[in-house]
């Protein structure tokens, strides 16, 4: 999967090593190449193929990357959780070692499904958000949501009767379905309605079939009767696939019940 910055850079033809550019705009100290204009023309003879052709400056490309990252961060749902990183996670707590390693490996190379399972307060959400924040700093597009919030949002758009609603069900479903990286938190906390189960199955099944990187957290192990009832056997089967995914169980105790001084850095 290509990052945003590499996609933009690879789409721009490198400028040839010829005479310094001439900029037709008022000079300033913003950029030595384009003087802040964002574009320049090369000082070449009239018969040169680049004569008079506007060139995009590297500083403009970087501003586009930075602006796009800001837009993605705002859309991702991670903005309130920028402090949730691997550095702020208490990795010395017993029962989180395997999960920390799996989360860091996924952040280094996002691929397939990573499912983090454990009791409330064991650190699943923090690790999922740490993955998302790490990937965003490297230019990946990330979408984070709890499963109940995702279904609530989809339900709110599902009943709209307008021919072209501002946020239609299809548009919102597409955001979750095709997000380059999806972090779906607290799977199983949603109401186990037939519509909810079918919607989540359609969403996660397509991501599974097309191997779109996905991180899921849940209090329920997929290989339990309760998970079968709430998720459905089909989805549980996919979450247990060891070829296209990795399931890790966190056995840490609830950090919320720990001494306040011991909770610093944990989540």
């Amino acid at each position: 999967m290509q990052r945003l910055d590499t996609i933009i850079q690879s789409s721009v033809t490198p400028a040839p090593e010829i005479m310094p550019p001439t900029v037709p705009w008022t000079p300033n100290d913003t950029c030595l190449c384009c003087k802040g204009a964002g574009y320049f023309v090369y000082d070449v003879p009239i018969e040169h193929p680049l004569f008079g052709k506007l060139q995009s400056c590297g500083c403009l490309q970087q501003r586009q990357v930075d602006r796009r990252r800001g837009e993605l961060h705002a859309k991702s749902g991670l903005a309130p959780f920028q402090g949730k990183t691997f550095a702020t996670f208490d990795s010395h707590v017993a029962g989180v070692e395997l999960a920390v390693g799996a989360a860091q490996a996924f952040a280094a190379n996002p691929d397939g499904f990573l499912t983090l399972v454990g009791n409330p307060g064991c650190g699943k959400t923090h690790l999922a958000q740490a993955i998302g924040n790490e990937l965003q700093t490297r230019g990946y597009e990330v979408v984070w949501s709890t499963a109940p919030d995702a279904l609530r949002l989809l339900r709110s758009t599902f009943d709209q009767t307008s021919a072209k609603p501002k946020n239609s069900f299809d548009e919102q479903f597409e955001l979750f379905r095709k997000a380059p990286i999806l972090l779906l938190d607290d799977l199983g906390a949603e109401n186990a309605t037939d519509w909810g189960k079918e919607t989540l199955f359609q969403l996660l099944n397509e991501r599974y079939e097309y191997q779109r990187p996905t991180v899921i957290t849940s209090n329920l192990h997929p290989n339990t009767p309760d998970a079968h009832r709430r998720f459905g056997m089909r989805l549980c089967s996919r979450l247990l696939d060891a070829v296209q995914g990795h399931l890790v169980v966190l056995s840490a105790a609830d950090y919320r019940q720990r001494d306040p001084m011991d909770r610093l850095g944990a989540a």
Side-chain angles (χ1 to χ4, degrees):
M1 175 181 295
Q2 276 189 286
R3 303 198 305 271
L4 177 65
D5 50 358
T6 59
I7 292 173
I8 291 179
Q9 291 172 5
S10 64
S11 67
V12 178
T13 302
E17 295 294 331
I18 57 179
M19 298 178 67
T22 299
V23 183
W25 290 271
T26 303
N28 58 58
D29 297 328
T30 304
C31 175
L32 295 177
C33 178
C34 70
K35 310 301 181 186
Y39 298 91
F40 62 85
V41 293
Y42 285 102
D43 185 11
V44 293
I46 191 171
E47 64 273 10
H48 195 284
L50 288 178
F51 177 80
K53 292 185 177 180
L54 212 58
Q55 307 294 321
S56 175
C57 185
C59 73
L60 175 64
Q61 298 162 28
Q62 186 59 51
R63 289 200 300 270
Q64 291 171 338
V65 169
D66 293 342
R67 182 171 61 253
R68 178 61 173 157
R69 282 178 177 170
E71 293 170 351
L72 293 173
H73 193 67
K75 186 173 70 173
S76 70
L78 283 171
F81 311 109
Q82 296 182 50
K84 302 297 186 180
T85 66
F86 291 118
T88 60
F89 185 83
D90 188 354
S91 59
H92 300 293
V93 175
V96 302
E97 299 88 350
L98 290 177
V100 171
Q104 291 175 330
F106 187 94
N109 181 32
D111 183 49
F113 273 40
L114 172 62
T115 305
L116 303 175
V117 175
N119 291 325
C122 66
K124 306 182 300 296
T125 297
H126 188 141
L127 286 176
Q129 291 169 344
I131 291 171
N133 285 321
E134 171 70 20
L135 289 172
Q136 279 200 327
T137 63
R138 290 165 36 214
Y140 286 96
E141 298 184 36
V142 179
V143 171
W144 177 89
S145 177
T146 67
D149 283 346
L151 284 180
R152 192 157 38 246
L153 183 58
L154 290 169
R155 172 69 78 177
S156 70
T157 61
F158 184 72
D159 295 328
Q160 295 189 40
T161 58
S162 172
K164 291 185 178 181
K166 184 177 180 180
N167 294 303
S168 70
F169 175 87
D170 290 340
E171 291 170 345
Q172 190 61 53
F173 190 77
E174 191 84 347
L175 174 65
F176 293 127
R177 188 167 61 95
K178 290 192 174 180
I181 310 286
L182 176 65
L183 313 175
L184 191 63
D185 190 37
D186 223 3
L187 182 66
E190 69 284 349
N191 290 330
T193 64
D194 290 341
W195 180 87
K197 286 193 291 187
E198 184 60 28
T199 300
L200 284 175
F201 174 75
Q202 290 177 8
L203 166 63
L204 293 174
N205 181 61
E206 175 157 332
R207 297 191 65 84
Y208 170 86
E209 293 293 341
Y210 286 91
Q211 300 183 32
R212 296 184 179 123
T214 305
V215 178
I216 297 168
T217 76
S218 180
N219 297 337
L220 302 176
H221 194 291
N223 196 23
T224 60
D226 198 13
H228 296 168
R229 178 180 63 83
R230 297 191 67 85
F231 307 159
M233 292 288 290
R234 297 176 300 168
L235 180 53
C236 288
S237 173
R238 285 152 179 77
L239 296 180
L240 291 168
D241 186 343
V243 175
Q244 290 187 209
H246 187 192
L247 187 148
V248 183
V249 177
L250 292 84
S251 58
D254 188 344
Y255 84 98
R256 300 180 183 92
Q257 299 181 22
R258 293 165 55 189
D259 184 275
M261 292 304 297
D262 293 335
R263 286 175 52 175
L264 295 177

